[in-house]
């Protein structure tokens, strides 16, 4: 391996670790932040509501237009975990999220069995802060997933980072803290 190739690999690894650290910083920030910004809360709440509505409607093509190319999605096992050090239930980048959506409609995929599942996300009060280079937002969330057998009900908190995009916003990262999953983990392929 040449020195240039080695330097590029080191830089790429550092970028990944920087993204991991940013996910943890956002989570920590929302735990200790001062009072959120009322006007920003009102501006961000419709974004979170639209995301939930599109996901519940399985309008995945429209939902993906809300995501930045750098989107990352993390569901840690425990809220104090770190993506570089601890196993995650889910850690997907934008490409992997697109692949997962494609699998929802692939008749060869093992988890795709009629009927389509019914999913409802309920978002609580949104808090948002302008963190300089990004908007950090959090809200309590309840998820209900019905397919076969007993419904899966989960409650927790979502933490998102968003960037301004013209008159709107793009989601650059999303973390779901779902405490019940620390105890036992059902099949989670449906969570986005």
């Amino acid at each position: 391996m040449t020195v240039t190739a080695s330097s590029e690999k080191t830089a790429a690894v550092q970028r990944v670790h920087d993204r991991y650290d940013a996910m943890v910083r956002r989570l920590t920030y929302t735990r200790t932040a001062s009072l959120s910004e009322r006007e920003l809360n009102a501006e961000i709440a419709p974004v979170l509501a639209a995301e939930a509505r599109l996901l519940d409607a399985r309008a995945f093509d429209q939902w993906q237009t809300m995501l930045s190319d750098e989107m990352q999605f993390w569901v840690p096992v425990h809220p104090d975990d770190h993506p570089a050090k601890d196993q995650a239930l889910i850690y997907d980048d934008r490409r992997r999220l697109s692949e997962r959506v494609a699998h929802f409609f692939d008749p060869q995929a093992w988890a795709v069995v009629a009927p389509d599942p019914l999913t409802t996300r309920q978002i609580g009060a949104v808090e948002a802060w302008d963190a300089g280079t990004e908007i950090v937002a959090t809200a309590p969330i309840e998820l209900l997933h019905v397919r076969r057998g007993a419904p899966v009900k989960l409650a927790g908190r979502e933490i998102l980072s968003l960037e301004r995009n013209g008159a709107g916003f793009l989601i650059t990262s999303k973390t779901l803290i779902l405490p019940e999953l620390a105890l036992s983990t059902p099949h989670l392929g449906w969570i986005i």
Side-chain angles (χ1 to χ4, degrees), residues 4-191:
T4 303
S6 178
S7 297
E8 289 173 2
K9 182 177 180 182
T10 301
V13 168
Q14 185 59 50
R15 282 192 302 275
V16 169
H17 282 275
D18 290 347
R19 289 179 184 162
Y20 290 164
D21 291 342
M23 298 291 276
V24 172
R25 271 194 311 276
R26 290 178 196 112
L27 179 56
T28 303
Y29 180 83
T30 61
R31 290 178 179 163
T32 60
S34 60
L35 201 58
S36 61
E37 303 169 26
R38 181 178 294 162
E39 296 80 20
L40 193 54
N41 296 348
E43 197 175 359
I44 297 299
V47 177
L48 273 60
E51 184 201 22
R53 176 179 46 78
L54 291 171
L55 288 170
D56 290 348
R58 299 175 58 84
F60 298 117
D61 289 341
Q62 285 179 275
W63 169 71
Q64 290 185 75
T65 67
M66 298 180 70
L67 309 179
S68 79
D69 291 341
E70 300 299 315
M71 170 65 175
Q72 296 179 25
F73 176 57
W74 178 37
V75 182
V77 175
H78 189 277
D80 293 329
D81 285 353
H82 190 290
K85 301 172 188 162
D86 301 297
Q87 185 173 1
L89 297 172
I90 300 172
Y91 196 100
D92 290 341
D93 61 9
R94 178 73 165 83
R95 178 193 58 80
R96 181 67 186 122
L97 285 169
S98 295
E99 290 172 356
R100 286 181 54 208
V101 166
H103 283 262
F104 289 158
F105 301 99
D106 180 353
Q108 301 301 314
W110 68 270
V112 179
V113 180
D116 285 344
L118 302 174
T119 305
T120 302
R121 291 160 183 81
Q122 184 169 353
I123 308 298
V126 174
E127 297 178 280
W129 301 267
D130 188 335
T133 59
E134 65 185 4
I135 306 298
V136 176
T138 186
I141 185 169
E142 292 183 2
L143 300 120
L144 173 65
H145 178 77
V146 179
R147 187 174 201 161
R148 294 203 165 106
V152 176
K153 299 175 187 176
L154 298 170
R157 179 162 293 277
E158 63 178 355
I159 298 97
L160 295 92
S161 63
L162 303 101
E163 64 184 15
R164 292 191 185 276
N165 180 36
F169 295 91
L170 289 176
I171 300 169
T172 58
S173 74
K174 180 176 177 178
T175 301
L176 284 179
I177 302 299
L178 302 166
E180 187 175 356
L181 296 183
L183 301 174
S184 64
T185 307
H187 170 63
L188 300 176
W190 59 272
I191 294 179

